[in-house]
Structure formats: C-alpha cells, structure tokens
Amino acid sequence: MAKYHMSWKTRANGSAKQNHDDGKALLAAFGKWQAPSDQSWIQFLSSLDGQGGFAVIETDNAAGLLAEVSKFTTWNEFAIVPVVDIVEGVTLAAAGADFRESV
C-alpha cells in the first residue's frame, strides 16, 4: 500500500466577509465528508495558524485521492507527495551513495 503526505492551505483571496462565508461553507462541506473505505487516514492534522493542515494517507488508489481533493479545491490548495517510511528512505539513500562511490 502506498503512503502519501498531503498538505493544504485555505484560500483567503476575498474580502473579510467573503473569507468568513467561504470558511463556513467549507466547514459545512467537510461536515458531510467521510474518508473512503480504500483509504487509511493515518494522521489528519490542523495547523495551529488556522490556515491549513496535513494528512498522512495510505491507499493503493491514487485516483481516489484526487477524487477526494476535488471536493474541496474551491476552498483549499493541495499538495500531495508520495512518501516512504524513514528507515526505507535512509536505506535507499545509502544505496544511492554506495552506487555513486562505485563509479
């Protein structure tokens, strides 16, 4: 199962009143949302500045992540990056260093 790091930032491009109303609409939409059964949301975090958040998600359905993000792109900007656990990442980085030293 692949793992992804997702971050988002709330769009705040309007007037104070419009941003307020957009925030209320976002909260209403999010209140109706449920994570799909083929996605495991390991961590789902809000940033302390109130401007966005982060999630770590496991799934074999990358297109399903797009389907979920598309529900909220009116209000949020998203970035989704495939990731691996640190032990695996360090092991792969060490193998890359070994290769470079061999040439």
Side-chain angles (χ1 to χ4, degrees), residues 5-81:
H5 174 268
M6 180 173 70
S7 60
W8 65 92
K9 184 170 171 103
T10 302
R11 298 177 193 271
N13 301 323
S15 67
K17 172 75 169 129
Q18 183 180 3
N19 291 339
H20 172 78
D21 292 346
D22 287 348
K24 287 176 64 175
L26 170 58
L27 290 172
F30 183 70
K32 295 180 180 182
W33 180 81
Q34 293 184 13
S37 61
D38 66 348
Q39 297 175 11
S40 176
W41 289 62
I42 298 166
Q43 289 190 305
F44 203 0
L45 308 167
S46 179
S47 61
L48 293 180
D49 63 7
Q51 296 182 18
F54 309 90
V56 177
I57 307 146
E58 283 186 333
T59 184
D60 284 329
N61 181 8
L65 286 178
L66 174 58
E68 296 312 302
V69 165
S70 70
K71 295 173 182 176
F72 298 95
T73 55
T74 296
W75 302 289
N76 295 324
E77 295 178 10
F78 292 88
I80 300 176
V81 179

